[in-house]
Amino acid sequence: MTFGRKLLSATALAMVFAGATAIGGPAPAQAEAKAGGTLVIGSTQKPRHLNPAVQSGIATAVPGTQLFATPLRFDANWKPQPYLAEKWEVSDNGLDITLHLRKNATFHDGKPVTSEDLAFSLETVKANHPFKTMFAPVTSVETPDAHTAIIHLAHPHPAILLAMSSALLPVIPKHVYGDGQDLKTHPANSAPVGSGPFRFVEFNPGENVILEKNPDYFIEGRPYLDKIIIKNYKDTTSLTLAMDKGEIDMYPFLEGARNINRLKENKDLTVTSDGYAAVGPINWLAFNTKREILAKKEVRQAIAYAVDRNFITKALHAGASTIATGPITPASPFYTVDVAKYDLDLDKSKAMLDAAGYPEKDGARFSLTIDYIPGGDEQQKNVAEYIASQLKKIGIDLQVRAAPDFPTWAKRVSSHDFDLTMDIVFNWGDPVIGVHRTYLSTNIIEGVIWSNTQSYANSEVDKLLDAAAKEPDEAKRKADYVAFQKIVADDLPIYWLNLLPYHTAYSNRVGNPPLTIWGTMAPMDEVYLNN
Amino acid sequence: MTGTEQVAAPEEPGAAPLKVESPIREAWRMFLRNGSAIAGLVLLIGVILVTFIGPQVYPVDPFEIVWAPLTPPGVDASIPFGTDYLGRDVLAGIIHGGRATLAVGASAAILTVLIGIVVGALAGFYGGFVDEILMRLTEFFQVLPPLLFAMVLVALFTPTLTTVAVAIGVVSWTQTARLTRAEFLKLKQLEYVTAARAIGSRNGRIIWRVILPNALPPLIVSATLIIGVAILFEAGLSFLGLSDPNVMSWGLMIGSSRSYIIDSWWAVTLPGAAIFITVLSVSLIGDGLNDALNPKLRER
């Protein structure tokens, strides 16, 4: 019987996984994976629709990765694993990537997944997704047969493997989305047809997303869960209470220090910071280098010397967050710790400002403003207020400029109408996707938020980043990024403060919690529930 | 007839001179008889003293981080009221923040009364078409939910103390306008107004110099109460995150510490108590003034 065999293989697999988790950490050792059950995920992020091909962000990515399968997936060690593509080859010159798709994969409407769909998806993402660097070097996609796709590149582009995972390259059916309607407003975005482990049931904007098991999923015996419900809560406090009371099974992207510490006290829950390696969410202080005073590197460094990152992580975030030392998240293989550090030193800071030509007159050297993203007080407003009180000590009058809502803040920053601003920017896995945009002088685009709004320009940095983007050899690529990190940490267009304390809280009855580099933004076909 | 005739008061030699107390003295005497009003006055004087002399006596910068964040009261003598989420001294915040809070309350109340009196006086005095227009305008403002409207106003401009005060003034003048109109409708038919008209006073003079002074008593009472409402309003807007983060005020303290209330009650409750005491004192004074200025209640 098929069901019996499925269950048997499921059990065997679960034992393998249970062994892995026993080595990996303190996760409760569950002997076997059980099929069935409904996983309820709580979130404050409300998706506009569910198609990650044309929409970035966590809210769409979590349900989107359950609905749509991608060519590849990544394990917890940043290694690509087969997913829709069972094998792939990169040519020696790095210009052609051949993907061999599984022959048994079908969309939720029963039609087979073909290389045509892959080519169509890649073109869609390239044309519509805000992360333009992901597939910019792709010149064409060749489809010699229904299950082979060859991606041709203008130059070697190592970041493309990561860009084919998680929510970044969902394979969407051409026969549904290729009907000529605008992809950004396609009706099927809110009722998607994919090939992922779960299929669409219901989407009530602002309330919930309901998904059910895809019985024809291309990986035998998966998924274990019958249903996933992503339930929206209006704020983190009510969501934390719901998690504490056991109303939900999982709370990804949990970030308030007090909420984290509260849930850590609950014996029925596990709270972990694993699963956010690829997101790389950095909370930082950005300088508008077009401002006369802030154009001087010494002034920016002097400000950094007055801001104590240890105080921010230990006192303001109650030990929940960790220090970010540079533009690349410490979890990335390209990270280097060996950069200028700016440990708190008020005397040095004052001396640097004196030397830069801003002596203290009547207790003040000059006035500046600082903006922050409204809404997340712990990471943004409180830190801005702390910086203001620190800069007062070195004779800088820093006025905190409140914005009533996100668009107001985004407009100020993207139109370069700011002196200093707090900001939160994600690495999104590969530096090409989430890091380059902030530092390339070619990406100073007025009106675009999360471009190079600092107006930072250094030709050496441009050269290094361009070289790293095209370098197929990982060691050489890392060398370029190390050099880049050293330069920007010295130029300091941005003073990186801390990583957001993203945590996932989950009930101890959840087996195989999603803790790879993409966390919950990856298919949850291995997750199961014990009762 | 040319010239007006002076009518001299008939003098009755030998009779004791009629003792006529000035209305202000009389009101003051009535006010002093009212125990709760005196309590209110004492409280308010206390609040004002703390607010205006306190900063000299307790010169800790309310924005300076002096201790570990969220330290409860009583841990150290230097921070008797504990610290907030950044480690700032809560006592310093209360002492230094009073000035801004009282300033917003007072200026919003003044603005409210000014708009209210002008609109109400014109509507009540002229009646007819002017009345129609002004009262429809008043009703328009009256049906807007005040907090929501104020939030929109503050959000449109940058949240500063001035915009907050103006927003409060703009949303809360309607009651004063209606009150003023009612007084004017009543007073404009009285003989002394007719007399003033008869001697050729212009409308402006009749409105501002003849009727208004006589309409003031209920307006003073309502203005006093509006100060309390305005302070609460400022706190409410701050609670929703709409206040100037660069100026310490009680509302700001409450607003920015609100998410810590479960673990750290002091950062919210103590400035809240300061607001409570101030609003209570103003309300008691308002009540006392109402009793003192209203002739109908005097003989109780």
Side-chain angles (χ1 to χ4, degrees):
Chain A
M1 253 165 41
T2 342
F3 178 67
R5 218 179 58 218
K6 271 186 183 171
L7 201 66
L8 199 70
S9 62
T11 315
L13 262 164
M15 284 165 80
V16 173
F17 273 99
T21 44
I23 300 159
Q30 298 293 349
E32 53 190 285
K34 286 180 186 154
T38 299
L39 180 78
V40 184
I41 299 173
S43 175
T44 53
Q45 304 256 353
K46 300 173 177 77
R48 285 174 51 222
H49 62 71
L50 307 176
N51 185 358
V54 294
Q55 173 77 48
S56 71
I58 297 164
T60 299
V62 175
T65 47
Q66 314 312 319
L67 289 161
F68 295 100
T70 46
L72 305 175
R73 62 204 286 182
F74 273 68
D75 64 13
N77 301 313
W78 295 85
K79 293 283 171 277
Q81 302 293 335
Y83 193 25
L84 262 178
E86 53 188 359
K87 307 197 292 278
W88 64 97
E89 293 122 28
V90 183
S91 66
D92 290 340
N93 59 11
L95 294 179
D96 306 301
I97 296 165
T98 310
L99 299 169
H100 302 279
L101 301 181
R102 284 173 195 269
K103 298 196 171 62
N104 64 338
T106 56
F107 286 109
H108 299 154
D109 60 4
K111 302 225 167 75
V113 179
T114 66
S115 53
E116 283 287 321
D117 296 307
L118 178 82
F120 170 73
S121 306
L122 201 148
E123 275 154 27
T124 301
V125 173
K126 188 181 171 185
N128 294 290
H129 200 281
F131 299 169
K132 296 291 175 210
T133 52
M134 291 194 299
F135 300 108
V138 174
T139 50
S140 64
V141 181
E142 200 184 324
T143 51
D145 66 57
H147 296 100
T148 310
I150 306 170
I151 300 172
H152 296 295
L153 300 169
H155 56 74
H157 180 47
I160 198 169
L161 292 185
L162 204 88
M164 288 196 288
S165 71
S166 182
L168 302 176
L169 181 56
V171 175
I172 58 175
K174 190 178 183 182
H175 61 268
V176 174
Y177 294 93
D179 58 3
Q181 297 191 59
D182 183 4
L183 260 298
K184 294 218 177 200
T185 55
H186 200 285
N189 289 346
S190 294
V193 179
S195 58
F198 295 91
R199 62 184 183 192
F200 176 80
V201 179
E202 240 179 89
F203 171 40
N204 302 302
E207 284 175 43
N208 59 27
V209 178
I210 301 173
L211 311 173
E212 67 176 5
K213 178 178 186 158
N214 170 12
D216 304 316
Y217 187 47
F218 53 83
I219 300 177
E220 185 87 351
R222 313 270 185 78
Y224 298 128
L225 297 168
D226 283 342
K227 234 179 183 186
I228 292 181
I229 299 176
I230 301 171
K231 211 172 149 185
N232 286 136
Y233 284 81
K234 70 173 177 14
D235 55 43
T236 56
T237 311
S238 52
L239 180 48
T240 304
L241 288 174
M243 186 77 228
D244 207 13
K245 281 190 282 183
E247 279 172 25
I248 56 171
D249 304 305
M250 192 182 288
Y251 177 178
F253 299 95
L254 157 68
E255 59 164 321
R258 281 161 315 110
N259 291 344
I260 293 169
N261 292 335
R262 181 190 176 124
L263 293 181
K264 274 186 176 167
E265 282 168 21
N266 188 330
K267 295 269 183 299
D268 299 328
L269 304 179
T270 302
V271 180
T272 174
S273 58
D274 290 349
Y276 299 97
V279 179
I282 305 179
N283 190 34
W284 72 42
L285 171 66
F287 301 101
N288 184 350
T289 64
K290 277 277 171 278
R291 292 282 193 261
E292 194 194 328
I293 296 170
L294 296 171
K296 293 187 177 153
K297 178 166 104 178
E298 294 74 23
V299 173
R300 304 196 293 263
Q301 291 176 341
I303 290 174
Y305 275 116
V307 175
D308 186 4
R309 293 193 278 212
N310 274 307
F311 183 86
I312 294 172
T313 55
K314 295 209 172 71
L316 293 186
H317 300 155
S321 68
T322 51
I323 290 175
T325 55
I328 296 181
T329 174
S332 165
F334 303 112
Y335 171 76
T336 178
V337 71
D338 185 22
V339 294
K341 289 292 184 341
Y342 308 100
D343 291 330
L344 181 70
D345 190 340
L346 294 180
D347 292 333
K348 184 165 185 176
S349 176
K350 286 180 194 160
M352 287 178 85
L353 289 173
D354 289 340
Y358 298 103
E360 198 160 340
K361 269 182 265 162
D362 308 324
R365 299 171 198 271
F366 47 78
S367 264
L368 293 169
T369 61
I370 183 167
D371 289 278
Y372 62 86
I373 305 175
D377 285 0
E378 187 171 277
Q379 297 295 324
Q380 292 277 297
K381 176 175 147 280
N382 295 1
V383 177
E385 288 177 351
Y386 161 72
I387 293 172
S389 86
Q390 283 299 99
L391 295 201
K392 199 172 179 180
K393 293 181 187 165
I394 57 167
I396 299 174
D397 169 42
L398 187 65
Q399 292 286 308
V400 180
R401 213 160 51 139
D405 49 31
F406 178 81
T408 309
W409 172 84
K411 185 161 184 278
R412 282 180 192 163
V413 175
S414 64
S415 59
H416 305 177
D417 168 29
F418 71 100
D419 296 338
L420 277 72
T421 185
M422 293 296 301
D423 199 350
I424 294 172
V425 180
F426 291 3
N427 266 199
W428 286 111
D430 196 284
V432 166
I433 305 170
V435 177
H436 288 209
R437 53 181 173 168
T438 316
Y439 307 94
L440 281 174
S441 68
T442 49
N443 202 32
I444 304 173
I445 310 167
E446 231 178 277
V448 178
I449 192 65
W450 298 315
S451 60
N452 182 352
T453 46
Q454 295 66 240
S455 307
Y456 171 64
N458 181 332
S459 56
E460 189 66 20
V461 164
D462 289 348
K463 256 186 255 164
L464 282 169
L465 291 180
D466 284 341
K470 295 171 188 165
E471 180 55 64
D473 182 88
E474 182 146 340
K476 285 186 195 157
R477 200 170 173 223
K478 175 158 185 181
D480 286 340
Y481 279 127
V482 168
F484 152 74
Q485 289 171 76
K486 284 180 197 280
I487 294 174
V488 288
D490 181 61
D491 281 349
L492 217 66
I494 279 163
Y495 186 47
W496 310 275
L497 302 174
N498 64 282
L499 295 169
L500 293 199
Y502 275 151
H503 281 65
T504 301
Y506 56 90
S507 153
N508 286 340
R509 65 193 199 102
V510 176
N512 289 333
L515 303 177
T516 60
I517 60 165
W518 287 113
T520 46
M521 295 193 291
M524 293 190 228
D525 51 355
E526 285 161 8
V527 177
Y528 63 91
L529 286 172
N530 292 293
N531 270 319
Chain B
M1 263 208 263
T2 58
T4 42
E5 221 175 315
Q6 289 282 334
V7 183
E11 280 189 43
E12 288 177 44
L18 189 66
K19 251 191 167 178
V20 179
E21 209 173 15
S22 89
I24 293 172
R25 280 189 64 92
E26 192 188 356
W28 177 239
R29 195 170 49 77
M30 296 299 298
F31 186 82
L32 286 182
R33 268 200 222 159
N34 188 331
S36 57
I38 295 300
L41 193 63
V42 169
L43 276 179
L44 188 65
I45 290 171
V47 168
I48 289 172
L49 280 181
V50 168
T51 307
F52 288 91
I53 299 175
Q56 274 85 53
V57 181
Y58 193 82
V60 178
D61 181 350
F63 283 104
E64 199 186 331
I65 291 161
V66 293
W67 208 267
L70 302 174
T71 310
V75 169
D76 191 272
S78 69
I79 41 159
F81 281 15
T83 60
D84 70 358
Y85 59 96
L86 286 182
R88 302 179 295 197
D89 187 345
V90 172
L91 178 61
I94 291 176
I95 289 176
H96 293 253
R99 206 177 293 193
T101 304
L102 294 184
V104 168
S107 47
I110 290 171
L111 190 66
T112 302
V113 170
L114 281 183
I115 302 176
I117 284 181
V118 170
V119 172
L122 295 179
F125 184 79
Y126 288 105
F129 183 62
V130 178
D131 188 26
E132 277 297 312
I133 297 276
L134 289 176
M135 279 302 108
R136 291 304 84 77
L137 183 75
T138 309
E139 273 156 20
F140 172 75
F141 275 90
Q142 213 164 15
V143 293
L144 290 171
L147 186 62
L148 212 61
F149 187 32
M151 282 172 67
V152 170
L153 287 178
V154 176
L156 275 180
F157 308 95
T158 335
T160 62
L161 288 185
T162 322
T163 48
V164 168
V166 169
I168 298 170
V170 167
V171 300
S172 45
W173 56 268
T174 52
Q175 237 189 327
T176 317
R178 294 191 146 266
L179 190 65
T180 313
R181 176 175 173 271
E183 285 295 312
F184 268 66
L185 285 178
K186 189 175 78 189
L187 295 177
K188 76 172 176 186
Q189 297 168 5
L190 295 186
E191 286 83 356
Y192 63 82
V193 178
T194 319
R197 205 185 290 283
I199 61 170
S201 297
R202 289 165 193 276
N203 283 342
R205 189 182 166 82
I206 296 176
I207 294 174
W208 306 124
R209 303 296 293 275
V210 179
I211 306 184
L212 187 61
N214 290 291
L216 272 184
L219 292 178
I220 290 173
V221 174
S222 114
T224 318
L225 295 174
I226 284 170
I227 295 178
V229 174
I231 290 174
L232 288 178
F233 222 113
E234 192 259 346
L237 286 174
S238 302
F239 188 83
L240 298 168
L242 294 166
S243 67
D244 189 343
N246 299 298
V247 183
M248 189 54 77
S249 72
W250 296 337
L252 176 72
M253 294 175 77
I254 294 179
S256 50
S257 299
R258 71 180 189 279
S259 51
Y260 303 88
I261 191 166
I262 297 170
D263 317 295
S264 325
W265 57 271
W266 57 91
V268 181
T269 314
L270 296 177
I275 291 181
F276 172 74
I277 291 172
T278 311
V279 174
L280 179 72
S281 68
V282 171
S283 299
L284 289 176
I285 293 172
D287 267 359
L289 283 177
N290 191 30
D291 293 352
L293 294 173
N294 189 340
K296 286 177 196 146
L297 294 171
R298 265 184 212 173
E299 307 311 326
R300 271 202 314 207

